Amino acid sequence: MTIGIIAGSGFDRLDELEVLHETHGTTPWGRASAPVQQGRLHGQPVLFLSRHGVGHALAPHEINYRGNVAALRDAGASALLAVYTVGGITAGVLEPGTLVVPHQIVDYTWGREHTYSQPGDVLHVDFSDPFDGPLREALVTAAREEGGAGAPPVVDGGVYGASQGPRLETAAEIDRMERDGCDVVGMTGMPEVSLARELGMRIAGICLVVNPAAGRGVISMDEIRETAAAGRVRILATLARAVP
C-alpha cells in the first residue's frame, strides 16, 4: 500500500521530506494545487501534495480537490492520510495542540466541484463511514506514541464539520454545528474525503486544534500560527510512524 499525504495550513511544503521525484499533477479534472512529491519522511516512503499550493496561494473554496485526489491516485497512492488544522467546538477538544482523529464528517460547504460523476457515469458510493477504520487506528496509536508526558491529548473519534471559508464562522454557526454533533470545524475536509472514496481510496484524517471555535474562547491569528508551528513536528512524526 502506497500512502499519500495531503496537508494544508502550516504544511505548505515539507522541508523534512527527502524528495526523490516530483511530478506535475495534471489530470482530466485540471491541475493539482502543487506537484506531487515522492520521497521519504523520517525514512518512510510517501507521496506528498500541498493542498493550498506553494505559499498557501489557494483559499479553501478555490482548491481543485478533484485534481488533487486524482493526482495522488495517478502517482500511485492507494490510501491517503490528510492533515487538517481546525477549531475546537466541544469541551474535550478546546485545548490548542489537541490532536483529533475524526470518525465522521458533516458537509456545510457549497459550490465546490464535489464528485467525479459525469453524464452516463454516475457514481454512488457508500459514505456511512467516511474514514477508514484501520488507518484511523494507526494514526491514533502513532500520535499517542509520539506524545510525551504533558503533551496535549489525542482524541480517538469525533465529528468534523466542514465549513465554506475562507472567513471563520460566527458563534451562532458554531452553536448550530454543536447541535448537529460536530466536535471540530475546518474548511477543507469536504469534498476531499468523499472524492477519495469515489476513487476507491482509503482515507483517514488527523486534526490539529489551533484555536477554540467562535464563541468558545478568544481567537488570535498569531496564536493560531504559533500553535500550528508547534504542532508541526509531532504531526509529521505521527504520519511517518503511521505509514504501514
Side-chain angles (χ1 to χ4, degrees), residues 66-104:
R66 295 190 300 180
N68 286 354
V69 175
L72 283 163
R73 190 275 311 270
D74 293 347
S78 56
L80 298 180
L81 297 179
V83 180
Y84 302 109
T85 54
V86 300
I89 296 176
T90 53
V93 296
L94 293 178
E95 179 186 352
T98 297
L99 299 181
V100 180
V101 180
H103 71 289
Q104 280 291 335

Side-chain angles (χ1 to χ4, degrees), residues 186-204:
M187 300 176 187
T188 54
M190 288 295 287
E192 190 170 274
V193 178
S194 59
L195 289 170
R197 296 299 299 272
E198 283 191 354
L199 293 185
M201 302 172 73
R202 300 162 61 190
I203 184 169

Side-chain angles (χ1 to χ4, degrees), residues 1-227:
M1 178 170 57
T2 301
I3 292 289
I5 294 173
I6 186 165
S9 301
F11 300 86
D12 296 344
R13 55 181 294 164
L14 290 189
D15 294 329
E16 299 86 349
L17 181 70
E18 177 191 356
V19 179
L20 303 175
H21 182 66
E22 186 173 279
T23 58
H24 293 282
T26 301
T27 77
W29 296 275
R31 200 173 181 88
S33 299
V36 176
Q37 296 179 323
Q38 177 185 356
R40 293 185 176 275
L41 179 64
H42 294 199
Q44 298 298 318
V46 298
L47 298 167
F48 171 72
L49 190 147
S50 174
R51 185 184 290 119
H52 293 275
V54 178
H56 202 92
L58 299 171
H61 67 289
E62 296 173 323
I63 294 169
N64 182 5
Y65 294 94
R66 295 190 300 180
N68 286 354
V69 175
L72 283 163
R73 190 275 311 270
D74 293 347
S78 56
L80 298 180
L81 297 179
V83 180
Y84 302 109
T85 54
V86 300
I89 296 176
T90 53
V93 296
L94 293 178
E95 179 186 352
T98 297
L99 299 181
V100 180
V101 180
H103 71 289
Q104 280 291 335
I105 195 164
V106 178
D107 189 5
Y108 299 95
T109 66
W110 50 270
R112 302 182 181 188
E113 296 288 354
H114 65 282
T115 180
Y116 292 110
S117 290
Q118 303 176 70
D121 184 19
V122 179
L123 302 174
H124 297 289
V125 295
D126 180 8
F127 206 48
S128 301
D129 298 300
F131 296 105
D132 182 78
L135 284 181
R136 285 192 60 258
E137 291 176 12
L139 282 173
V140 171
T141 299
R144 287 176 174 166
E145 290 173 349
E146 286 298 327
V154 177
V155 179
D156 181 359
V159 180
Y160 179 118
S163 68
Q164 177 69 1
R167 66 166 177 83
L168 273 64
E169 303 73 30
T170 68
E173 288 169 332
I174 294 299
D175 288 343
R176 179 186 66 164
M177 287 187 179
E178 184 167 16
R179 290 193 297 270
D180 288 347
C182 297
D183 298 290
V184 297
V185 57
M187 300 176 187
T188 54
M190 288 295 287
E192 190 170 274
V193 178
S194 59
L195 289 170
R197 296 299 299 272
E198 283 191 354
L199 293 185
M201 302 172 73
R202 300 162 61 190
I203 184 169
I206 185 166
C207 301
L208 172 64
V209 177
V210 294
N211 62 277
R216 305 306 189 264
V218 177
I219 297 176
S220 164
M221 298 310 298
D222 287 339
E223 290 181 4
I224 287 174
R225 285 188 284 268
E226 290 172 4
T227 302

